[in-house]
């Protein structure tokens, strides 16, 4: 799978969805382009997402995470999705994008629908098309040059258009791609990790004892991404006759590259591939986040930002409470989505650290 993701010459991103409506809408965008066209669009926000640029946000993200965690731990029972992940990610994304904070919950809801629009032509997929259009309409009217915050992602997108690096018609699609990916992937990664830890009290206690160990927290994040990737698949189109493991693929064939399956490959992870183990050896060496968050030219541009947000929430919660458990009377509810894997609701209980 890594080889396919790194080879856009044979595995093109020109058709990334499984239905014609979405593919027509996405044509030529940063998600559905290759080579120089893709590099030209991606270059616009690369400086904003560079590690050295984002490192200045560590304190801001941690303060938001600490505040939200203090509130939910004080209550003792909370929903990891609506009370923790969405508020944190929504605050950070709207700030970086230069949008009003009051719009964050609506943007998150639209972003969820945009991902599902990549699915096959089914009633569930078609039901998401209006959500995607509503988000585009919102950005076109509420995220204009005059309204976005100076220095933000959207301000830089418009500046690139003014410099002639991209067309005016490419501004909104480019902005929406980064907002959608930055919101949904991180929300599902946070809640998946907390759900896994709530089911394994011993591993949570280990985190509580080592809550100030950034390397230990990072290992937990990487293992959760390996075990249950927030994005389960991407679509590519074979540009020339080829084969995978002896299976012939004629030119023009659409293929699904399955992150969820690749990250459970027992030839890499052995007989425990289907188990969540924070102390798993080799988790950094194999670069598993390259599969959970993409690989090659289309790897997640905001991967470092995602790690910062996930680790900030995990560290704040691990420091604040020695226990994290599911609520027996309120079982978690999955979010139905054609592409993403995560929770619509994840009720949890905690106790205050002593």
């Amino acid at each position: 799978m890594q080889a396919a993701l790194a080879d856009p010459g044979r595995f093109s991103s020109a058709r990334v969805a499984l239905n014609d409506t979405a593919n027509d809408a996405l044509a030529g965008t940063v998600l559905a382009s290759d080579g120089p066209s893709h590099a030209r669009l991606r270059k616009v926000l690369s400086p904003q997402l560079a590690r050295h640029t984002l490192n200045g946000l560590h304190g801001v993200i941690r303060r938001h995470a600490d505040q939200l965690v203090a509130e939910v731990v004080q209550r003792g029972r909370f929903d990891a999705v609506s009370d923790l992940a969405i508020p944190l990610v929504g605050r950070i994304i709207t700030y970086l994008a230069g949008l009003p904070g009051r719009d964050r919950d609506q943007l998150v809801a639209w972003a969820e629908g945009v991902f599902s629009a990549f699915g096959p032509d089914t009633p569930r997929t078609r039901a998401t098309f209006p959500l995607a259009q509503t988000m585009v309409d919102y950005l076109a009217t509420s995220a204009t040059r005059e309204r976005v915050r100076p220095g933000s992602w959207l301000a830089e997108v418009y500046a690139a258009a003014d410099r002639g690096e991209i067309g005016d018609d490419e501004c909104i699609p480019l902005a929406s791609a980064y907002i959608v990916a930055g919101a949904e992937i991180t929300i599902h990664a946070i809640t998946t990790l907390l759900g896994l830890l709530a089911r394994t009290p011993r591993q949570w206690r280990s985190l509580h004892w080592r809550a100030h160990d950034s390397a230990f927290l990072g290992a937990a994040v990487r293992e959760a991404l390996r075990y249950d990737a927030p994005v389960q698949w991407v679509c590519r189109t074979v540009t020339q006759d080829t084969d995978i493991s002896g299976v012939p693929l004629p030119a023009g064939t659409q293929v699904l590259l399955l992150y969820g399956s690749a990250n459970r490959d027992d030839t890499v992870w052995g007989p425990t591939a289907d188990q969540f183990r924070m102390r798993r050896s080799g988790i950094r060496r194999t670069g598993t986040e390259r599969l959970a968050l993409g690989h090659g030219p289309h790897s997640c541009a905001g991967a470092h930002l995602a790690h910062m947000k996930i680790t900030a929430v995990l560290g704040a919660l691990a420091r604040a409470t020695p226990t994290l458990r599911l609520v027996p009377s309120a079982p978690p509810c999955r979010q139905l989505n054609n592409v993403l894997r995560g929770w619509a609701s994840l009720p949890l209980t905690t106790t205050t650290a002593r």
Side-chain angles (χ1 to χ4, degrees):
M1 179 170 167
Q2 278 187 325
L5 289 169
D7 188 0
R10 281 196 305 153
F11 297 90
S12 171
S13 297
R15 291 189 296 149
V16 293
L18 295 177
N19 67 86
D20 292 338
T21 300
N23 280 324
D24 290 345
L26 290 165
T29 65
V30 69
L31 297 175
S33 58
D34 296 306
S37 295
H38 172 74
R40 175 179 61 85
L41 292 169
R42 182 161 174 143
K43 181 180 178 182
V44 172
L45 286 178
S46 292
Q48 301 273 344
L49 291 165
R51 184 181 293 266
H52 66 272
T53 302
L54 291 172
N55 282 343
L57 284 174
H58 269 298
V60 174
I61 293 174
R62 182 163 176 169
R63 283 194 298 274
H64 281 304
D66 288 345
Q67 176 190 347
L68 286 166
V69 165
E71 292 172 1
V72 298
V73 170
Q74 184 65 34
R75 297 208 308 261
R77 173 172 168 169
F78 66 98
D79 191 302
V81 181
S82 61
D83 296 331
L84 191 54
I86 288 178
L88 175 72
V89 175
R91 288 178 188 180
I92 301 302
I93 287 296
T94 51
Y95 171 77
L96 291 175
L99 297 171
R102 64 178 180 273
D103 297 333
R104 63 176 184 259
D105 290 348
Q106 189 61 69
L107 280 169
V108 168
W110 290 333
E112 182 83 32
V114 170
F115 262 109
S116 209
F118 284 52
D121 188 6
T122 65
R124 177 188 296 168
T125 300
R126 290 192 292 272
T128 66
F129 294 157
L131 293 175
Q133 186 59 52
T134 300
M135 180 174 182
V136 171
D137 292 342
Y138 162 82
L139 291 174
T141 57
S142 300
T144 61
R145 283 176 171 82
E146 299 75 25
R147 294 188 177 188
V148 298
R149 180 178 56 80
S152 65
W153 288 356
L154 281 161
E156 181 53 36
V157 167
Y158 286 126
D162 294 339
R163 294 191 297 267
E165 297 170 8
I166 62 173
D168 285 344
D169 61 330
E170 294 176 307
C171 291
I172 297 304
L174 182 61
S176 63
Y178 279 89
I179 292 170
V180 167
E184 290 308 306
I185 291 174
T186 311
I187 288 169
H188 287 304
I190 289 171
T191 53
T192 291
L193 173 56
L194 296 183
L196 291 168
L197 289 166
R199 288 178 165 84
T200 54
R202 181 176 297 179
Q203 294 193 79
W204 180 258
R205 285 195 296 273
S206 295
L207 268 176
H208 178 63
W209 294 331
R210 300 180 62 176
H212 295 280
D213 185 339
S214 59
F216 196 70
L217 295 173
V221 172
R222 286 187 288 273
E223 170 65 352
L225 289 170
R226 179 205 71 82
Y227 180 82
D228 220 346
V231 176
Q232 287 287 293
W233 58 266
V234 294
C235 190
R236 295 290 184 263
T237 301
V238 179
T239 61
Q240 56 189 308
D241 293 348
T242 188
D243 73 85
I244 296 180
S245 300
V247 177
L249 296 173
T253 301
Q254 272 193 307
V255 295
L256 291 184
L257 305 181
L258 305 177
Y259 293 138
S261 177
N263 280 334
R264 301 284 191 94
D265 186 349
D266 58 10
T267 65
V268 176
W269 303 109
T272 64
D274 287 329
Q275 298 175 20
F276 172 68
R277 293 186 171 187
M278 289 193 313
R279 297 174 183 269
R280 185 177 297 277
S281 62
I283 192 70
R284 180 184 290 276
R285 174 179 52 78
T286 59
T288 190
E289 57 265 57
R290 290 203 298 263
L291 285 183
L293 300 176
H295 180 60
H298 282 271
S299 61
C300 179
H304 182 58
L305 176 60
H307 275 276
M308 287 170 62
K309 289 182 285 188
I310 302 165
T311 305
V313 172
L314 182 61
L317 199 56
R319 290 188 296 272
T321 177
T323 61
L324 185 71
R325 297 191 179 97
L326 298 173
V327 179
S329 60
C333 177
R334 281 286 180 191
Q335 177 71 55
L336 297 181
N337 191 287
N338 289 323
V339 179
L340 301 173
R341 179 169 169 81
W343 299 106
S345 176
L346 180 64
L348 299 173
T349 61
T350 66
T351 57
T352 304
R354 293 179 173 79

